[in-house]
Amino acid sequence: NLTYAGNTTAFASKKDAIVVKGNVGRVVPLPEDKKSVVSVSLVQSANRSLLFITSVSTTVVWDTEKDASALTVPHVDLQVTSAGVVDVSGRGDRVFLAAGLQSGKVHFTSIDCTTMATTSIGMRDGHEGQGLVTCCKGSSHQGASPISVVSGSAKGELLFWDASSAVVSRIAASKDECVTGVAIDTTYIAAAFGAGTIKLFHAATGKLHMEILAHAKWINALAYDPTSRFLASCGDDGLVCVWGLPTEADPRAAKLVGYAQRQNSLWTGVAFTAPGVVAAVAYDSDKITTFNAL
């Protein structure tokens, strides 16, 4: 669970969120009743970075410049299992918070990042009957992609949501195989699964484009690099992989650009911090490891 924006990196352990600026790290002090972190997301505005830390019962918005809490959004009786943040304006001044729930539903909240006013957009049925929501990811390409949010369920269902919180595509991507991670590009939606596969879907149509046999075990995270259009993945097999996406010249090829392997490392989060440069975090570790895939 790793996120990067501007010059700030943040990642989550089970009970903490850690913010790193330069070589200096700080544990965000969360109230005791709000621990058990399920998601962290950074949003960069013109003058600050806001870190959205979602736990089972609450989302805390942390101002990384002031090093202080800016807002607390309670999720009363919702049992949040995952969350995604969408920069609606593209300037960091208004976001959607999509919270996936144990019930399979998805709850949407609009947040004004200038006034910190919140508006409940509403509860959507989402994945009801398909198990809990295992992952929920917001788009960083608002305006360039028709998809704002992608969510996945424990039984292999994917939902593509637009900016009005309506379902654009409903895909039974893998029968009874858990969706473990999603990433949104302007052209493709990538979804990872428990068996170690990655599937690429066309963002505009939801049609399956290809399947990559990426890892030997469970995949824990995916991340796109919008500059190079690489896709990074990490899994229980100790591998961090970087994939080159299909191009117009070679639409059927997804190439392994580079990889790194660490024995006895259970990678849980991955993000690009520069073109071709991947940061990864491991379970029960407070360190960020950086790899250059090029």
Side-chain angles (χ1 to χ4, degrees):
N1 209 337
L2 181 66
T3 179
Y4 175 84
N7 65 342
T8 304
T9 308
F11 63 97
S13 65
K14 187 65 176 175
K15 293 186 177 180
D16 295 304
I18 301 170
V19 177
V20 180
K21 303 185 79 172
N23 293 321
V24 179
R26 170 171 167 74
V27 176
V28 176
L30 299 177
E32 287 296 325
D33 62 340
K34 295 180 177 59
K35 290 195 173 180
S36 190
V37 177
V38 300
S39 175
V40 289
S41 298
L42 274 167
V43 173
Q44 180 73 41
S45 67
N47 56 0
R48 62 178 175 175
S49 292
L50 294 175
L51 175 62
F52 292 76
I53 310 163
T54 299
S55 69
V56 172
S57 59
T58 306
T59 293
V60 173
V61 183
W62 187 262
D63 188 327
T64 66
E65 305 303 321
K66 296 181 179 179
D67 204 22
S69 176
L71 177 69
T72 298
V73 182
H75 304 298
V76 180
D77 299 325
L78 295 185
Q79 288 295 303
V80 177
T81 55
S82 60
V85 176
V86 184
D87 182 357
V88 179
S89 66
R91 301 182 300 274
D93 54 7
R94 188 167 68 94
V95 304
F96 282 169
L97 171 66
L101 312 181
Q102 190 170 12
S103 65
K105 295 183 179 182
V106 179
H107 183 263
F108 289 86
T109 304
S110 176
I111 302 175
D112 185 318
C113 295
T114 302
T115 64
M116 288 298 155
T118 65
T119 304
S120 176
I121 299 173
M123 188 80 71
R124 304 293 183 258
D125 288 342
H127 300 277
E128 278 194 304
Q130 291 293 317
L132 58 84
V133 180
T134 52
C135 53
C136 200
K137 187 78 170 183
S139 172
S140 59
H141 309 282
Q142 196 61 21
S145 170
I147 307 303
S148 290
V149 175
V150 176
S151 59
S153 78
K155 292 188 177 180
E157 182 182 64
L158 287 169
L159 294 181
F160 297 177
W161 306 79
D162 65 15
S164 67
S165 72
V167 174
V168 176
S169 298
R170 182 183 297 269
I171 304 165
S174 186
K175 185 178 181 181
D176 293 333
E177 187 184 331
C178 183
V179 182
T180 60
V182 291
I184 305 173
D185 179 52
T186 53
T187 305
Y188 298 111
I189 309 296
F193 296 88
T197 59
I198 298 172
K199 294 183 180 182
L200 297 181
F201 299 87
H202 288 281
T205 64
K207 183 179 178 181
L208 177 65
H209 182 73
M210 67 167 42
E211 182 175 0
I212 305 169
L213 303 179
H215 289 262
K217 295 182 179 180
W218 191 281
I219 298 174
N220 290 317
L222 295 175
Y224 270 124
D225 179 1
T227 304
S228 64
R229 297 195 68 243
F230 288 157
L231 174 70
S233 60
C234 65
D236 285 0
D237 55 4
L239 284 170
V240 177
C241 298
V242 176
W243 307 91
L245 294 179
T247 63
E248 290 186 6
D250 197 357
R252 298 305 303 174
K255 300 176 181 178
L256 181 63
V257 176
Y259 72 93
Q261 186 171 28
R262 295 285 175 85
Q263 297 296 329
N264 302 318
S265 290
L266 180 59
W267 300 113
T268 57
V270 66
F272 284 94
T273 59
V277 179
V278 181
V281 291
Y283 181 74
D284 280 348
S285 173
D286 60 356
K287 296 181 179 179
I288 298 174
T289 301
T290 302
F291 307 98
N292 193 328
L294 299 180

